[in-house]
Amino acid sequence: MAPAPTEPRRRSVAEEPVTSILPGGDVPFDPSHEFSADEEALAALGYKSEFKREFSLFTTFCVSFAVLGLLPSFASTLYYGMGYAGTAGMTWGWVVAMIGIQCVAMSMAELCSSMPTSGGLYYAAAVLAPPGWGPFAAWITGWSNWLAQVTAAPSVNYGISAMCLAAASIVNPDYVPTDYQTFLLTVLMMLIHGVMSSLPTRWLAQINSAGSTFNMVALIIVIILIPAGTDRESRGLPKFTPSSEVWGTIYEGTAFPPGISVLMSFIGVIWTMSGYDSPFHLAEECSNASIASPRAIVMTSATGGIFGWFLQLVVAYTVVDIDQVLDSDLGQPFAAYLMQCMPQKITLAILSLTIIAGFSMGQGCMIAASRVTFAYARDDCFPLSKYWKVVNARTQTPVNAVWFNCIIGILLLLLIFGGSIAVGALFSIGAIGAFVAFTLPIFIRVFFVGDRFRAGPWHLGKFSIPIGVVASAFVALMVPILCLPSVTGADLTLDTMNWTALVYGAPMLLVTIWWFISAHKWFKGPKVNVEHAMLGREGNAIDGKGEQGRDSGSDALAPVTSIDKKILT
């Protein structure tokens, strides 16, 4: 008599190259079908697959590069990158900043390979935190990251709207844009991006591939077009500013010493380069996620850093008058810069490329933010989470999360009516909120984890800790710098103060108070939602479905709702 066929052996969490909230002895499974390799890794992290995996390494990189949006990001933050330290901050300052940023990106990629889930940094903080601190670490990381994500699309769209209206002013010098017009145009872009981000994953991948390709092509065209098309010589100036002046002159754009001014100018670099975490949040929609997603993170940061520096150089060598760039009636420094050194037709052509690239960037930001909101709502981090964690049955995308973020973003755009300093806080929040969220799990990994971290297929090996130390030190230095005002003493007024500490700090203070008053009683971090079995003595197992997250660092398992002993072959 032939022996009965045996079902395929299921691997325990301890056999997966992941660092999980589940105990190592657990064996995730799904009675209805066999796991693919990606589903198995995700199940070992405690989650069932809810998305179609239609993103590849290239399309994931495309979304990330679209979110990075070098050309529109640079154009939107030129006021800070050039205005605080001038061309010195744009040249060697960019290189210095990129060393710290690349260390953050590589450390994040290592975490992503070990924990390829949409929760990303939030999940990593919960798992890696010392015993008893997992839920609080996840809470702070999650809210900081969400603040950065939810402000990304409105800040990008605000910058693009300002460029559109500046282009109209160039064509018709009598036209002066108003705050009301900027607000309405930005809201329109938010609504369009909300509709686009609600489409099926396959469509989103194709749209973002096209958008990212355009971003790259437009960036290369502009890098070539600016030095080739500059008409500085017709204005009685040399074709390019001498290198000694470009690299050696620090513009006195702040009341602080030159070294501090250069550090303050890093806000432009940090905000521009803050989109490389997108592959982490898209990991549940990416095939071969434990390798493709971390590679996309590093590719995005490295490619963005190199091409971004080239863009900084061509602008630094061709700018005519920094004061006029910052104080132009056009209301948009990048447009004012182009008018200084370019014919009008070339100026409008470059602005057009930047606006289209920025539109694609805003849509990529909306997608990434919706995945973050979905992942946190899945663990009941938000009020009314049961609505925001719904995956639309028709599109297989988190449509409710998209529109939740869209409405919040539109409300934030009311800061436009508070003036340029107030709305500028959107950019500072994006920089500081992202950096805190990026680095908190890295800091925990470096200083508290020890051998509890299980590296995934993509890892840094013996360089993991040194790179993590550099990343942590860089962020510890930059967080207070990003909160400094550009003026001090009697010049510091409500109109000139840096609102970052208030606009970012107040919500974070409130959620911290909320934690100690209430949230610590019911929020337990990532919630297991996949069937799993606890290996018992003599090979028996207990099936169950976790209802609450397991506190990181402890050996306790999440409570189970059903118990059924079986033998796993």
Side-chain angles (χ1 to χ4, degrees), residues 1 35 59 70 72 103 129 139 183 212-213 287-288 317 335 368 388 481 544:
M1 182 176 179
F35 287 137
T59 53
L70 280 176
C103 287
W139 182 261
F183 174 77
S212 183
T213 302
S287 58
N288 196 22
Y317 273 91
W388 319 133
I481 292 292

Side-chain angles (χ1 to χ4, degrees), residues 58 71 102 178-179 184 204 233 245 273 320 323 334 366 405 449 461 535 568:
F58 178 71
L71 181 57
Q102 192 64 25
T178 65
D179 290 340
L184 289 179
L204 292 176
E233 290 176 312
E245 183 177 338
M273 296 298 301
V320 175
D323 287 323
F334 185 61
M366 186 79 79
N405 288 347
V449 171
L535 288 183
L568 295 184

Side-chain angles (χ1 to χ4, degrees), residues 206-217:
Q206 294 172 351
I207 291 171
N208 279 276
S209 294
S212 183
T213 302
F214 182 87
N215 259 281
M216 179 64 79
V217 172

Side-chain angles (χ1 to χ4, degrees), residues 530-545:
V530 70
E531 299 282 341
H532 61 285
M534 297 178 292
L535 288 183
R537 296 177 181 176
E538 300 179 358
N540 66 304
I542 301 175
D543 296 350
K545 183 175 181 180

Side-chain angles (χ1 to χ4, degrees), residues 231-278:
D231 63 352
R232 284 168 49 102
E233 290 176 312
S234 67
R235 308 181 191 210
L237 299 169
K239 188 173 180 66
F240 302 111
T241 304
S243 293
S244 58
E245 183 177 338
V246 171
W247 291 75
T249 303
I250 298 179
Y251 177 74
E252 295 183 3
T254 77
F256 294 94
I260 300 297
S261 295
V262 172
L263 290 175
M264 291 175 68
S265 74
F266 286 2
I267 182 176
V269 190
I270 293 169
W271 191 87
T272 298
M273 296 298 301
S274 62
Y276 53 81
D277 63 313
S278 299

Side-chain angles (χ1 to χ4, degrees), residues 314-326:
V314 298
V315 172
Y317 273 91
T318 53
V319 65
V320 175
D321 189 316
I322 293 178
D323 287 323
Q324 290 183 10
V325 167
L326 301 177

Side-chain angles (χ1 to χ4, degrees), residues 338-362:
L338 292 173
M339 286 297 293
Q340 280 188 0
C341 60
M342 297 283 167
Q344 186 183 87
K345 289 183 178 179
I346 295 181
T347 295
L348 292 174
I350 292 176
L351 282 179
S352 298
L353 292 174
T354 306
I355 289 167
I356 297 171
F359 184 82
S360 174
M361 177 187 176

